[in-house]
Amino acid sequence: GREAYLLGNFNAPNAILTLVKNTQLRGTICAKEIVVSNDCLFLHHDSPGTLPGPGNLPKTPGEVYEVEGDNAPVTNFELAQNYPNPFNPETAIRFALPEASSVKVTLYSLSGQVVRELVDGSFGQGRHQVIWNGRDDAGLAVAGGVYFYRLTVQGENGEVKFTQTRKMTFVK
């Protein structure tokens, strides 16, 4: 099936367990063989996060996708607090656009150095989300600590229409 939500520990040492697209698991698995398709989410049994639920499965880190499920019209530029926060190993950053716009989401260290240019492109009106996996532009894992993420929205002429910065904490 699709979109299975599994909570608990599975102990089947002689079985072959197949997890199909959109499976979400919080717990542990013990099996002879585990086959996993794309778009599966695993949270350790002690993790502080919760399963996102139907239609909210995180995507590939750095990939921006439209957030569904909130049908309220977007009337203002918005940058939401990342979730979860603090986080490890990854976090979701959401933003909303009342009109199609050129967008940058940049991550900064506490000292103000650019850690990663997470988003740089044009996006349509609506709610969007990007996942950060705690890695810098070179693909190296960053140190635990406080980081900032900034949303910058530019108009057609390159003028800044909106900018907002928020703080997040990466724990190791």
Side-chain angles (χ1 to χ4, degrees), residues 61-62 104-109 112-120 130-143 147:
K104 285 187 180 186
V105 176
T106 309
L107 307 174
Y108 298 90
S109 67
Q113 293 179 317
V114 173
V115 171
R116 185 161 181 190
E117 188 79 34
L118 198 56
V119 174
D120 186 2
V130 62
I131 303 295
W132 182 44
N133 61 357
R135 298 195 173 269
D136 64 15
D137 275 333
L140 302 172
V142 300
Y147 292 86

Side-chain angles (χ1 to χ4, degrees), residues 5-132:
Y5 307 97
L6 310 169
L7 297 172
N9 301 316
F10 298 90
N11 188 12
N14 297 318
I16 297 174
L17 179 65
T18 302
L19 302 175
V20 295
K21 186 172 184 160
N22 293 329
T23 297
Q24 299 178 31
L25 167 75
R26 180 179 181 153
T28 58
I29 298 174
C30 174
K32 178 180 179 182
E33 183 179 345
I34 302 171
V35 179
V36 181
S37 72
N38 290 336
D39 296 330
C40 290
L41 173 70
F42 296 91
L43 295 176
H44 186 270
H45 71 281
D46 278 341
S47 69
T50 60
L51 296 176
N56 293 322
L57 191 65
K59 305 297 184 198
T60 305
E63 175 186 352
V64 178
Y65 59 99
E66 194 161 342
V67 177
E68 298 175 10
D70 185 353
N71 294 329
V74 177
T75 57
N76 295 308
F77 293 105
E78 301 170 20
L79 177 62
Q81 184 63 52
N82 65 302
Y83 183 83
N85 187 35
F87 70 97
N88 184 352
E90 61 188 24
T91 190
I93 297 170
R94 290 184 177 211
F95 58 93
L97 306 171
E99 60 192 47
S101 304
S102 178
V103 172
K104 285 187 180 186
V105 176
T106 309
L107 307 174
Y108 298 90
S109 67
L110 194 56
S111 65
Q113 293 179 317
V114 173
V115 171
R116 185 161 181 190
E117 188 79 34
L118 198 56
V119 174
D120 186 2
S122 296
F123 296 92
Q125 175 194 18
R127 300 178 193 286
H128 305 276
Q129 177 171 297
V130 62
I131 303 295
W132 182 44

